[in-house]
Amino acid sequence: MCFRNFDNSAMLESIVGKLVMNMYLVLFTVLPICYAFNPVNFYAIMPNMRTLEKTVKNSLLNNKYLLENTSKDRVILKRKFHIDFHFKMLPNNSPGEILDTFCESIFPKHTNAILYLKANRGKIIQSSRDVIMDIAKNVGYPVISWDPEFPGALQQDEDSMVLQLAPTIYHQCQCMLAMLQRYNWTDFAIVTTTTVQHLEFVNSVNTLVKLHNSRPGITRVTRMTILSTIIVDMDSNDDDEKQIELMKKEIQRKNTKENRVFLLHTKPLQAKNLLDAAEELGLTGEKFIWILTSLSVGMIRKGRRTSHSYPIGTIGINYYKDMGENEADAAATSLKIWAKALINIAGHLDKYNMSPRLSCNSTQNDTWRDGRALYTRMKAVHNLDNTTVVRFSRNGVNELVKLKLLNVQYLNSGRTWNEVGEWIPFTKNRRSEMIIQMKEVVWPGGKTKPPKGKPEKRHFKIVTLKEDPYVMYRDPDKVTGKCGHHSVPCRLVYNPAEHENDSTLVNNTVLRCCTGLCIDLLEILSERMNFDYELYEVPDQTWGLPDQRTGQWNGLIKQVMTHRADMIMTSLKITPKRNEFIDFSVPFLETGISIVVSIRKGAISPTAFLEPYDYPSWCLILVFSVHATGASIFIYEWLSPRGLDQGRTSLREHRFSLFRSLWLIWAMLFGASVSTDTPRGVSSRFLANVWALFALVFLASYTANLAAFMITKDEYYNLSGIKDLRLKHPYSHSPPFRFATVPNGSTEENLRQNHGEMFAYMRQFNQSTVDGALKSLKDGKIHAFIYDATPLEYHVGNDNDCELTTVGDWYAMTGYGVGFPRGSTWVEEVDQIILKLQKSGEMERLRKFWLAGACHRRKQKRGQSSHNIGILNFTSAFIFLAGGMLVGVILLIAEHLYFKFGRSCLRKYDKNGCCALVSLSMGQSLTFEQSVIEAIDMHKRHRCKDPLCETQLWKVRHELDLSKFTIEKLKDQLQSFGIKPLEGNLFRHKKKQALEQNPNPKPNGYPRCNRSEGNEEEHRVCTESQSKERLLQDSECTSTSPYLDDPSLTRWSKRSLRRSPSYTNAIAIEPPEKGDSSGVIQRHINKVRCHDGKYYVGVSNDNPAEGYDMTHYVE
């Protein structure tokens, strides 16, 4: 099989002999070349076109031979692949034929790329192309296409596997726009019929224009504009005369802008009929240029004349070569691209399979997955050789194509298409760009220079009327006699009082300068529509109203109705009545009816100091908040243990009351430096601090807003609008309310139709001009002036003394428009320009420039600071104050819990008085002195009020008196014993001396029963009999006791005679005789008892707590 391409057996025998003679050559040279590991096939398909079959086959064979004999590519291709190609002509172009071709030829031959060539047009050819593309896409085959009608130039299909080599309609549109840029034809029209690719032609031109205008550096001069898009919907079965009549009507209807440049795309026969219709309309003369696509040019044969329907100077676009040559070149280029991609992928055959094995008999959905890799490398190919360059876009369309430019010229007594230029790629610095190269061209009318491509300037007569700031009159420069910036010359009606001896007086008009917003708009329209104009003032100087009897219009409306003017340019309001007789453009500015009044200076309001807050806010702050907070502070202080403690605290000690609480609140609110009494309780102090913060916020906001109200108030008639009672019933006002407008305008017409009574009343006060009406308004001759809203806003903003203001809402909203005679062809063009100005913000810029005024800013500043502060604006402060009251309740409860439970616990740990460092009141509450003071205070203040309590209190006082009497008696008994009791505390300075005299004092109560055993002493408690015996022997109970005999000890200790709870059980001890102290003790020995380490006299052991303590305490 590897030798099947050799011609005969003789050559085979020669090669075998050479293999035997030279094994080295056989092993390392011949076998690698002959044995192909990857058979690949390039398959070309072409619809039925027998005249081109031989040309295409020869091109494929020649280029295959060149590839195999190129030394550089031969080694790679022959070592890695076995290359072959096949060519198939589709006789019937049917889907079944195409499917058989894939099953019987393409799949079995290991095809991995398909070339599709299309040389003619038609629906059958188009359907066969779609079938081939769909099958190739489904099985994963990359396709190289030569199809001038390829529809994917504008599509961004990332999954596409088609490479397009032929120049499409998109490329021809690119060439057309390159022609327009070359000759500065920026305004043009699109003309087509409902034929092949007419929508793609329109979309391509629009896309390219948008792309051109979006580039940086594009100015208004170089910006392209599509003036009209004319699509003639026609039936191809109609005869020529019917088609021409239909085309004439469609062109007349849509070609309203005097186009000079036309881009035409249609079939050849329809192109001839359309050009005949254009000739009848006068659109094929020397001022007009037509540029045709290749479809409109049709088949061109050398030496043959073209139709007389094509005007001299027409430009046509055609393919670079004749029919057949383009397809042959495409086949050769495709084979080179395919071979280049195989060379690039040869080093990666371990990853990719370049020999697909597909079959129509397979039960599975076979797809060649590696076809995408081959397609990617084919799309990356560029610069095949010195004569062939390609560059594919993201969607696989070749960007570097070749087209030639044709020109209809008159040669040899006839019209022929001659080549005058080409659109080809130009490579510089390894970068290729498309350029146009032109030769001598015969332009329309046989001229040697191209037409301007723009309509000559038209001349319009434009009528206007003064209306500040839309149209204002100015005098020319006295030196130059010319108008300055933002102004144009205009002729005004002669007025002897103003224009006497004027040198420019002609036909009862004088030359002046007009300026304003409408003049700026007129200049924009003049530049973009390319027209000159003559601007003049309406002779009767009125806006225009119909006569009530005859119905005849006057003023501006009459000028355009009688065709004396082509356009109205001023602040002309669009009304339904006017719109019945003239045409209006779209509104360029909104307006309505408004009312202006005069401002009268007044005095400062006597209640200005109250105006920062509204009356509900004042009531809530000064009535509710002050008294509620003051009462809350007093209640918290009354309930606080540290405060008034529910009346237990003496008013001499803590001076605080409800009125003193309110005095504190008022003093804190206004920051007065007066003497106040402060609360002691934690909760009341906290609430006082909250009120202080509330007062700070109140004073800050009040002071900040007070300055805005302590100014002179402007007084004026604040009308609510056109339906205000003072306008509907003027005699209800004293004196009667006077208002006016300017007659013969839209405002007067509106009032006449909708408010008849107002119209009848105001006629006696109407003013001739706006300036005169504003002067009468300031002088008090009228009270209000009703007119157009935007002029009034201008006058209000630019008044010298800012003594005017508009009141009420706008009424009868409408807009200003440009007026035209009925049926004018310029309305649509003006509408488009105005809409573009509004979209770009240019109209808003003009409005701000001309309607701005200094008085508007002053009015805004006054309005921004004149609003009262309501309750809602102060809500946060009230919420803060209410929250403080709630927190005060919580603190009051916590304070009570502290005094009832927490103080006793805290006192155990506060040994060093640390709490006093944190809070003096807390530290004071923890001391013993404070407890005594509280007990005494409680005893003083808590008195019984019922009889039972008073009886018990009397009994206790009686017992106290008896106790005092007993104490005095006991003192006398002590003195009878020679003991003089001291008043006050024990003598602590004798403690050390007593200890020195008796270093081992015996314990109180029963004496010790000591028994010495060795060096240890046993201690135990004696029985009662032992205690008696021991007491007689004990020195403490005799005269030898150091506590009794020591003259320095003049009294017993602090508790030497502690009173018994019952003074009736006490036994007095008679004074002993001198030196017979033991006898005294002996007499009372039966009445001495010992309990808890102490001696008791005159009691029994059964109740030792009764009696007197005879023990000695030494401190």
Side-chain angles (χ1 to χ4, degrees):
M1 290 298 296
C2 66
F3 299 104
R4 61 178 178 173
N5 290 328
F6 292 94
D7 296 334
N8 47 49
S9 59
M11 186 177 294
L12 178 61
E13 293 176 358
S14 175
I15 294 176
V16 172
K18 291 180 180 180
L19 289 175
V20 174
M21 293 173 62
N22 193 344
M23 187 60 66
Y24 178 82
L25 180 63
V26 173
L27 293 176
F28 296 99
T29 304
V30 178
L31 286 179
I33 294 176
C34 294
Y35 190 83
F37 295 97
N38 293 279
V40 292
N41 183 42
F42 186 77
Y43 205 98
I45 303 177
M46 186 175 182
N48 189 9
M49 198 72 178
R50 293 295 180 181
T51 57
L52 302 179
E53 182 177 3
K54 185 177 181 180
T55 304
V56 175
K57 270 188 176 183
N58 292 334
S59 178
L60 291 173
L61 286 171
N62 293 333
N63 283 275
K64 178 177 180 293
Y65 174 78
L66 292 175
L67 288 176
E68 291 177 348
N69 290 274
T70 303
S71 59
K72 181 178 180 180
D73 299 336
R74 179 183 59 185
V75 177
I76 299 177
L77 290 176
K78 289 193 174 183
R79 285 184 179 179
K80 299 294 184 178
F81 306 100
H82 176 69
I83 298 177
D84 199 0
F85 78 92
H86 289 81
F87 180 81
K88 176 72 173 180
M89 183 74 70
L90 300 176
N92 299 323
N93 300 312
S94 63
E97 183 183 17
I98 296 172
L99 185 59
D100 291 340
T101 301
F102 273 90
C103 293
E104 298 174 0
S105 299
I106 295 178
F107 291 161
K109 299 181 183 300
H110 305 289
T111 302
N112 62 4
I114 298 175
L115 171 63
Y116 175 76
L117 297 172
K118 180 182 177 183
N120 54 2
R121 300 179 176 89
K123 292 185 178 179
I124 299 178
I125 303 300
Q126 182 177 353
S127 62
S128 64
R129 176 197 65 190
D130 296 338
V131 173
I132 294 172
M133 297 299 176
D134 290 340
I135 295 177
K137 183 178 180 180
N138 289 330
V139 299
Y141 280 168
V143 178
I144 302 177
S145 171
W146 170 269
D147 184 5
E149 296 180 3
F150 179 70
L154 292 176
Q155 299 176 2
Q156 299 296 330
D157 188 3
E158 298 293 338
D159 296 331
S160 173
M161 294 182 64
V162 180
L163 297 180
Q164 176 57 244
L165 293 177
T168 63
I169 191 65
Y170 182 78
H171 294 97
Q172 297 184 49
C173 292
Q174 285 182 311
C175 182
M176 285 180 170
L177 262 68
M179 286 282 295
L180 298 180
Q181 296 179 50
R182 180 183 179 90
Y183 297 104
N184 196 25
W185 297 332
T186 56
D187 300 332
F188 59 93
I190 300 173
V191 183
T192 184
T193 60
T194 53
T195 182
V196 180
Q197 293 186 302
H198 72 283
L199 292 179
E200 188 170 357
F201 172 70
V202 175
N203 294 334
S204 298
V205 174
N206 281 278
T207 302
L208 291 171
V209 168
K210 291 181 180 178
L211 182 62
H212 169 80
N213 294 337
S214 63
R215 292 174 181 172
I218 298 299
T219 62
R220 183 175 52 82
V221 178
T222 59
R223 184 182 181 86
M224 288 190 174
T225 304
I226 302 174
L227 299 179
S228 301
T229 300
I230 304 172
I231 302 177
V232 182
D233 188 5
M234 56 187 300
D235 188 357
S236 59
N237 297 325
D238 295 337
D239 55 16
D240 293 345
E241 293 183 1
K242 189 174 182 180
Q243 288 186 4
I244 291 173
E245 288 299 323
L246 182 61
M247 292 174 178
K248 285 172 61 177
K249 291 181 181 180
E250 195 67 20
I251 293 174
Q252 283 180 327
R253 188 174 68 88
K254 294 186 177 180
N255 186 44
T256 60
K257 302 179 181 179
E258 295 190 5
N259 298 300
R260 294 293 187 267
V261 181
F262 298 90
L263 307 183
L264 177 61
H265 174 74
T266 184
K267 292 181 178 180
L269 182 59
Q270 294 176 356
K272 295 175 183 178
N273 293 336
L274 198 147
L275 289 172
D276 290 339
E279 185 178 7
E280 294 181 14
L281 296 174
L283 301 177
T284 59
E286 62 182 18
K287 298 178 181 179
F288 301 88
I289 183 70
W290 288 78
I291 305 176
L292 281 60
T293 62
S294 61
L295 180 62
S296 301
V297 172
M299 293 292 297
I300 299 176
R301 297 181 179 180
K302 294 182 179 180
R304 290 199 178 185
R305 298 177 183 178
T306 188
S307 173
H308 287 276
S309 299
Y310 294 102
I312 297 295
T314 302
I315 302 295
I317 299 175
N318 205 352
Y319 302 126
Y320 194 71
K321 293 182 180 181
D322 294 335
M323 188 174 182
E325 296 179 3
N326 292 313
E327 288 74 6
D329 289 346
T333 304
S334 301
L335 194 59
K336 293 178 183 178
I337 294 173
W338 176 63
K340 203 81 170 178
L342 289 177
I343 294 172
N344 293 335
I345 207 171
H348 305 282
L349 293 179
D350 55 338
K351 297 180 180 178
Y352 305 110
N353 176 25
M354 289 294 105
S355 299
R357 292 174 175 82
L358 304 177
S359 175
C360 293
N361 298 324
S362 176
T363 58
Q364 299 179 355
N365 186 13
D366 289 345
T367 301
W368 182 35
R369 301 182 181 276
D370 295 332
R372 173 67 62 179
L374 180 61
Y375 169 78
T376 303
R377 283 161 175 78
M378 290 168 62
K379 189 169 68 172
V381 173
H382 63 280
N383 297 336
L384 295 174
D385 50 46
N386 296 331
T387 59
T388 306
V389 291
V390 292
R391 185 178 67 204
F392 295 102
S393 62
R394 295 180 61 184
N395 56 345
V397 177
N398 184 19
E399 297 177 342
L400 305 177
V401 298
K402 294 181 180 181
L403 293 172
K404 62 182 177 181
L405 303 175
L406 306 178
N407 180 224
V408 177
Q409 300 178 0
Y410 190 82
L411 296 174
N412 300 325
S413 302
R415 300 182 181 186
T416 59
W417 286 101
N418 291 329
E419 184 178 348
V420 294
E422 55 186 8
W423 189 57
I424 58 176
F426 176 74
T427 304
K428 183 178 181 180
N429 297 330
R430 295 184 179 180
R431 181 171 180 82
S432 300
E433 299 292 341
M434 300 301 296
I435 63 171
I436 287 182
Q437 294 179 351
M438 297 295 291
K439 303 175 183 177
E440 293 184 3
V441 181
V442 177
W443 298 106
K447 301 293 183 181
T448 57
K449 293 183 179 180
K452 294 182 178 178
K454 295 182 180 179
E456 295 181 355
K457 283 194 174 183
R458 296 156 286 184
H459 187 81
F460 291 158
K461 292 189 69 175
I462 301 176
V463 64
T464 189
L465 183 62
K466 181 183 179 182
E467 179 77 283
D468 296 348
Y470 298 95
V471 179
M472 298 179 288
Y473 301 153
R474 299 287 186 268
D475 293 331
D477 187 84
K478 294 181 180 180
V479 178
T480 61
K482 297 181 179 180
C483 298
H485 190 54
H486 287 289
S487 60
V488 298
C490 57
R491 301 202 70 86
L492 309 182
V493 177
Y494 176 71
N495 186 350
E498 298 180 8
H499 309 136
E500 58 178 355
N501 300 327
D502 196 301
S503 59
T504 62
L505 179 61
V506 176
N507 295 330
N508 202 34
T509 61
V510 294
L511 185 63
R512 289 293 183 271
C513 295
C514 290
T515 186
L517 188 148
C518 287
I519 303 303
D520 284 353
L521 178 60
L522 178 60
E523 284 288 280
I524 295 174
L525 295 177
S526 173
E527 182 180 0
R528 298 194 179 184
M529 296 175 62
N530 194 25
F531 65 83
D532 291 329
Y533 58 88
E534 176 188 348
L535 187 63
Y536 69 95
E537 185 182 30
V538 61
D540 58 2
Q541 298 181 332
T542 58
W543 295 97
L545 283 177
D547 188 87
Q548 296 299 311
R549 293 175 296 176
T550 63
Q552 295 293 324
W553 285 80
N554 61 2
L556 296 170
I557 308 301
K558 182 179 180 180
Q559 292 294 308
V560 294
M561 287 180 63
T562 58
H563 294 279
R564 295 177 184 175
D566 300 309
M567 187 185 299
I568 301 174
M569 182 55 71
T570 186
S571 56
L572 181 65
K573 291 176 66 175
I574 302 174
T575 64
K577 191 72 173 177
R578 290 173 176 173
N579 204 26
E580 294 178 2
F581 296 92
I582 66 172
D583 288 340
F584 281 97
S585 68
V586 295
F588 60 84
L589 202 66
E590 290 185 349
T591 186
I593 297 176
S594 184
I595 306 172
V596 65
V597 296
S598 178
I599 298 175
R600 305 182 303 275
K601 299 296 182 182
I604 297 178
S605 173
T607 60
F609 71 97
L610 295 176
E611 293 183 5
Y613 294 95
D614 57 9
Y615 292 110
S617 298
W618 280 118
C619 294
L620 188 60
I621 294 173
L622 300 182
V623 177
F624 176 77
S625 298
V626 169
H627 294 86
T629 308
S632 299
I633 291 177
F634 175 73
I635 293 172
Y636 294 164
E637 187 68 11
W638 173 263
L639 298 175
S640 174
R642 286 290 303 165
L644 295 176
D645 197 14
Q646 304 181 29
R648 297 185 182 94
T649 303
S650 173
L651 293 179
R652 292 182 179 180
E653 181 181 353
H654 182 32
R655 301 166 58 88
F656 201 78
S657 63
L658 176 61
F659 278 17
R660 290 178 182 270
S661 176
L662 294 175
W663 175 251
L664 173 66
I665 292 299
W666 283 104
M668 294 172 66
L669 179 62
F670 296 110
S673 299
V674 295
S675 176
T676 58
D677 293 312
T678 58
R680 291 182 179 179
V682 176
S683 57
S684 53
R685 287 184 178 183
F686 175 79
L687 184 56
N689 290 329
V690 172
W691 174 257
L693 184 57
F694 175 86
L696 177 64
V697 175
F698 165 74
L699 289 177
S701 60
Y702 176 79
T703 307
N705 289 274
L706 182 62
F709 294 92
M710 297 298 291
I711 57 176
T712 303
K713 286 292 183 181
D714 295 334
E715 298 179 357
Y716 55 88
Y717 296 106
N718 191 11
L719 304 178
S720 60
I722 200 70
K723 296 182 180 181
D724 193 274
L725 292 178
R726 282 166 285 190
L727 299 179
K728 286 185 169 295
H729 307 285
Y731 290 104
S732 62
H733 188 271
S734 182
F737 198 78
R738 301 182 297 273
F739 53 94
T741 187
V742 175
N744 297 323
S746 60
T747 303
E748 185 188 41
E749 180 67 16
N750 186 284
L751 295 176
R752 179 193 288 120
Q753 295 178 358
N754 301 309
H755 305 279
E757 295 181 0
M758 292 173 55
F759 170 75
Y761 170 79
M762 66 186 294
R763 293 184 63 181
Q764 57 184 320
F765 306 111
N766 280 349
Q767 306 292 315
S768 59
T769 62
V770 176
D771 293 335
L774 297 178
K775 187 176 184 304
S776 299
L777 191 64
K778 292 182 180 180
D779 295 340
K781 296 179 181 180
I782 58 176
H783 297 138
F785 177 59
I786 307 174
Y787 197 64
D788 288 355
T790 52
L792 291 184
E793 291 290 343
Y794 168 77
H795 287 288
V796 168
N798 293 273
D799 187 63
N800 293 332
D801 300 322
C802 295
E803 296 179 349
L804 300 174
T805 185
T806 55
V807 293
D809 298 328
W810 286 15
Y811 169 72
M813 293 293 296
T814 182
Y816 294 132
V818 182
F820 297 93
R822 199 71 176 168
S824 175
T825 59
W826 314 114
V827 179
E828 183 181 355
E829 190 172 357
V830 172
D831 287 348
Q832 292 183 3
I833 296 175
I834 292 176
L835 291 175
K836 289 181 180 179
L837 293 176
Q838 292 175 345
K839 185 177 180 180
S840 63
E842 182 67 16
M843 287 305 306
E844 180 65 17
R845 186 192 67 80
L846 292 176
R847 187 193 68 82
K848 291 182 178 180
F849 178 80
W850 288 104
L851 271 68
C855 296
H856 287 311
R857 291 189 289 270
R858 293 176 57 181
K859 182 180 178 180
Q860 290 176 358
K861 290 181 180 179
R862 287 199 302 267
Q864 291 173 355
S865 59
S866 60
H867 296 291
N868 303 98
I869 299 178
I871 295 177
L872 294 177
N873 303 110
F874 217 65
T875 304
S876 59
F878 290 124
I879 293 175
F880 175 75
L881 185 61
M885 293 182 179
L886 295 178
V887 174
V889 173
I890 297 174
L891 292 177
L892 180 63
I893 296 173
E895 191 175 7
H896 275 277
L897 293 175
Y898 165 75
F899 274 91
K900 189 171 183 179
F901 304 105
R903 185 171 60 167
S904 59
C905 297
L906 188 60
R907 184 180 296 167
K908 298 177 181 179
Y909 301 100
D910 188 31
K911 300 298 183 178
N912 300 323
C914 296
C915 292
L917 300 177
V918 179
S919 173
L920 293 175
S921 58
M922 181 183 294
Q924 189 178 8
S925 66
L926 298 176
T927 59
F928 176 78
E929 181 181 359
Q930 180 66 21
S931 301
V932 174
I933 294 175
E934 291 177 0
I936 295 174
D937 182 69
M938 182 178 295
H939 175 73
K940 291 181 180 179
R941 288 182 287 113
H942 287 73
R943 298 175 181 178
C944 296
K945 296 182 180 180
D946 57 281
L948 181 60
C949 181
E950 290 181 354
T951 303
Q952 293 177 353
L953 183 61
W954 176 84
K955 182 179 179 180
V956 171
R957 288 178 178 175
H958 180 68
E959 292 177 353
L960 180 62
D961 293 338
L962 291 177
S963 299
K964 291 180 179 180
F965 174 76
T966 304
I967 290 172
E968 293 296 331
K969 187 176 180 180
L970 291 174
K971 287 182 179 180
D972 295 338
Q973 292 179 0
L974 291 175
Q975 290 179 358
S976 64
F977 285 109
I979 300 174
K980 184 179 180 181
L982 294 178
E983 301 294 336
N985 295 330
L986 296 176
F987 45 95
R988 297 181 179 182
H989 59 281
K990 298 297 184 179
K991 177 179 179 180
K992 184 177 181 181
Q993 183 178 358
L995 290 175
E996 293 177 353
Q997 294 178 359
N998 188 8
N1000 296 311
K1002 297 296 187 276
N1004 296 325
Y1006 290 113
R1008 292 175 183 166
C1009 296
N1010 298 330
R1011 294 181 181 179
S1012 299
E1013 295 181 2
N1015 295 329
E1016 295 182 359
E1017 187 180 41
E1018 181 182 356
H1019 297 275
R1020 63 182 180 88
V1021 180
C1022 300
T1023 62
E1024 183 176 355
S1025 57
Q1026 292 174 341
S1027 298
K1028 292 180 180 180
E1029 182 181 357
R1030 181 64 178 165
L1031 184 60
L1032 293 175
Q1033 300 174 0
D1034 199 336
S1035 60
E1036 290 181 333
C1037 298
T1038 61
S1039 59
T1040 61
S1041 174
Y1043 295 99
L1044 296 177
D1045 298 338
D1046 189 359
S1048 62
L1049 298 178
T1050 57
R1051 57 164 292 179
W1052 290 346
S1053 63
K1054 181 178 181 181
R1055 297 183 182 179
S1056 58
L1057 287 174
R1058 186 176 60 184
R1059 180 178 61 85
S1060 171
S1062 177
Y1063 62 91
T1064 57
N1065 295 329
I1067 302 299
I1069 299 177
E1070 295 179 1
E1073 296 180 4
K1074 188 175 180 180
D1076 192 12
S1077 58
S1078 60
V1080 175
I1081 296 176
Q1082 184 64 34
R1083 287 195 303 268
H1084 297 286
I1085 191 64
N1086 293 326
K1087 296 182 180 182
V1088 176
R1089 297 291 184 266
C1090 178
H1091 176 71
D1092 196 16
K1094 301 177 182 179
Y1095 293 132
Y1096 292 88
V1097 180
V1099 295
S1100 64
N1101 251 4
D1102 296 333
N1103 192 6
E1106 295 181 359
Y1108 294 94
D1109 187 3
M1110 302 294 290
T1111 60
H1112 304 275
Y1113 286 85
V1114 180
E1115 296 183 1

